[in-house]
């Protein structure tokens, strides 16, 4: 060990990297973490999960006050005004507190922060800010960045065509925001600005929102977002964008192509004072010097690993958004713990079949495991559904939208997937993930006592519906 400066050098201090660094230090290893950004916490804490949730929460409170929900409960507010600067400052405060918290945890666990971008010299040495450091193990946790859309150039400073980072810091509420991409970022940040007063149009290439989610969930989500006032242009693509005088003019075409069978052109022009490009994210590998260590990328630009998170190059490991799998902070964190444990000689495992996903709109949209479509392809299944309208707590809170769906194997009754649309679906899905991790059957969930009145009772009732016996429908 004496031959190396560190036992473990982690590149990137996002939820994957900082968690790996802390866990490795907790296991007694000498650890450094290189981070090119001025603050720790990666995309998630700086420009992702945390600031977006701060704005989702703030905008929800604004909509409750301005939109009459509070009045329904007898709370008179008088005229409601938006102080956008204060809302953005509140978001910045959350980011500062949490990124500072990681700095504190690094000091507490004696993780050395190497400030700067890391470049491989060889498999065991990396240059950071002009200095070369060596490590027995190097963990690549460099995360991901926004996928650009050719012809639609993002300029966050001008604030007309922005990516998610720009959309977290708009100086004023747009009159008309066009969101390109009806995925998680488009719907979350589109919801923020709609609640604050913008007209929002979502342009989605596919014929449904939220790719990867259960079919019923995708359909129901579209209905709910339309009801909330979002305009949805599905099966549509943006082919050009021009910016002039603080406005963007977008050319839209059907995803299938510009002309009908009779050869008639079908393009459309949309004007917007803000365009959010949210068509996905791609792994960060450029400039890392992977060619120096002979590490190749797969067709999607990701680094492949085995189930221990080891790459093909001995001593080099990879986790988080830069490897295959859903680009989610909790997936990166769990991989961070597992890789540190594997490096320390323990057995670190992540069950990639049970990773919950949550869209933090109102209502929230959450799922874990297989979609009904994927489960059906694998074999015979039973499905139980329960509407939130029939859940006493949701009804009392005036939150009628959504449902819970439990998908179980027809023979073994083992739960294969759970999907929820409900105001607190993100919290509800945790029990489904835990049940699936323990190999639960739908009967196990149906016979577990759930506190009343809670939204979670809808999970129990949906599990009861798998065998046809819900009480409240
Ligand atoms: P990252 O968080 O991207 O961190 C990688 C770090 O590596 C970065 O700080 C980068 O500066 C650094 N880096 C890169 N290259 C180098 C180098 N060569 N040298 C030194 N440092 C380097 N996920 C959720 O689960 N829940 C959410 O609610 C959620 N909301 C999101 C909202 C938005 C707007 C966005 C954009 C993403 C959101 N995500 C969410 C996704 C989540 O942020 C990512 O999945 C997660 O951050 C991935 O973690 P990571 O550690 O792999 O990479
Ligand atoms: P996404 O993959 O969720 O959605 C992108 C959408 O854009 C898709 O629906 C896709 O069909 C569409 N699209 C692609 N090209 C298009 C085009 N040319 N025109 C119109 N539509 C097009 O990606 P995202 O919303 O950018 O989010 C990126 C990643 O960040 C996701 O993987 C997500 O997991 C993560 N994220 C997670 C959360 C969360 O967990 N709550 C929040 C934000 C982001």
């Amino acid at each position: 060990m004496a031959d190396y400066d560190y036992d473990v050098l982690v590149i990137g201090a996002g939820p994957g990297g900082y968690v790996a660094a802390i866990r490795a230090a907790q296991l007694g290893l000498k650890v450094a973490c290189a981070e090119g950004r001025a603050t720790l916490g990666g995309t998630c804490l700086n420009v992702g999960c945390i600031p977006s949730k701060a704005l989702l929460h703030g905008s929800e409170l604004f909509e409750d006050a301005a939109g009459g929900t509070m009045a329904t409960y007898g709370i008179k507010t008088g005229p409601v005004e938006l102080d956008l600067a204060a809302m953005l400052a509140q978001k910045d405060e959350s980011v500062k507190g949490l990124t500072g918290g990681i700095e504190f945890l690094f000091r507490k666990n004696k993780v050395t922060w190497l400030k700067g971008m890391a470049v491989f010299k060889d498999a065991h040495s990396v240059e950071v800010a002009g200095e070369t450091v060596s490590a027995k193990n190097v963990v690549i946790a460099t995360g991901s960045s926004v996928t650009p859309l050719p012809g639609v150039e993002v300029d966050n400073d001008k604030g007309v065509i922005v990516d998610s980072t720009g959309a977290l810091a708009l100086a004023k509420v747009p009159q008309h925001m066009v969101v390109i991409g009806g995925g998680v970022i488009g719907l979350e940040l589109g919801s923020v600005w709609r609640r604050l007063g913008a007209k929002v149009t979502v342009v989605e290439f596919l014929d449904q929102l939220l790719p990867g989610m259960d079919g019923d969930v995708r359909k129901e989500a579209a209905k709910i977002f339309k009801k909330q006032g979002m305009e949805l242009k599905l099966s549509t693509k943006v082919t050009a964008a021009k910016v002039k005088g603080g406005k963007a003019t977008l050319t839209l075409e059907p995803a299938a192509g510009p002309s009908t069978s009779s050869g008639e052109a079908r393009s459309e022009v949309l004007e917007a004072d803000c365009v959010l490009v949210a068509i996905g994210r791609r792994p960060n590998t450029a400039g890392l010097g992977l060619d120096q260590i002979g590490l190749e990328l797969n067709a999607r630009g990701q680094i492949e690993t085995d189930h221990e998170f080891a790459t093909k190059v001995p001593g080099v490991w990879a986790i988080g958004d830069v490897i295959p799998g859903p680009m989610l902070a909790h997936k990166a964190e769990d991989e961070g713990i597992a890789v540190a444990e594997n490096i320390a000689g323990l057995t670190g495992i992540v069950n990639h079949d049970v990773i919950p996903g949550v869209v933090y709109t109102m209502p929230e949209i959450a799922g874990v495991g297989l979609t009904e479509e994927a489960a059906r392809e694998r074999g015979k299944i039973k499905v139980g559904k329960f509407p939130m309208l029939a859940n006493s707590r949701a009804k009392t809170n005036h939150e009628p939208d959504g449902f819970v769906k439990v998908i179980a194997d027809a023979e073994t009754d083992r739960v294969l997937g759970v999907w929820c649309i409900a105001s607190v679906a993100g919290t509800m899905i945790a029990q489904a993930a835990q049940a699936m991790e323990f190999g639960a059957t739908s009967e196990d969930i149906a016979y577990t006592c759930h506190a009343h009145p809670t939204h979670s009772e809808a999970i129990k009732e949906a599990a009861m519906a798998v065998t046809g016996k819900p009480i409240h429908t």
Side-chain angles (χ1 to χ4, degrees), residues 48-49 52-53 144 149 179-188 203-206 208-211 218 236-238 277-281 321 326-330 357-360:
C49 326
S52 60
K53 267 77 252 179
S144 63
L149 178 59
V179 176
I180 308 179
V184 194
I185 291 182
L187 294 170
E188 286 189 355
V203 181
E204 166 58 48
F205 188 83
L206 300 175
Q208 286 290 342
L209 303 173
L210 295 169
R218 296 173 75 184
T236 305
K237 63 185 173 190
V238 173
V277 180
I279 60 162
R281 294 177 62 83
D321 280 10
M327 288 183 166
L328 295 172
H330 41 281
V358 182
V359 187
Y360 296 89

Side-chain angles (χ1 to χ4, degrees), residues 10-18 34-37 39-53 114 116-119 127-128 141-146 164-165 168 184-185 188-189 281 284-288 319-323 326-333 335 356 358 360:
V10 182
I11 306 178
Y18 85 70
E35 172 55 60
R37 206 186 281 270
T39 46
L40 301 173
T43 304
C44 175
L45 272 63
N46 288 281
V47 291
C49 326
I50 296 303
S52 60
K53 267 77 252 179
L114 305 173
M117 295 300 278
V119 184
E127 189 182 301
V128 186
T142 48
S144 63
S145 307
V146 176
S164 55
T165 302
L168 289 168
V184 194
I185 291 182
E188 286 189 355
L189 294 181
R281 294 177 62 83
N284 288 332
T285 53
L288 196 52
I319 55 168
D321 280 10
V322 81
I323 72 169
M327 288 183 166
L328 295 172
H330 41 281
K331 176 247 189 200
E333 286 185 56
E335 290 176 350
V358 182
Y360 296 89

Side-chain angles (χ1 to χ4, degrees), residues 176 199-203 225-226 229-233 268:
H176 184 203
K199 170 181 163 50
V200 173
T201 305
V202 178
V203 181
F225 290 121
K226 268 194 224 161
M230 272 191 191
E231 190 175 344
L232 306 182
K233 289 187 175 289
E268 180 188 350

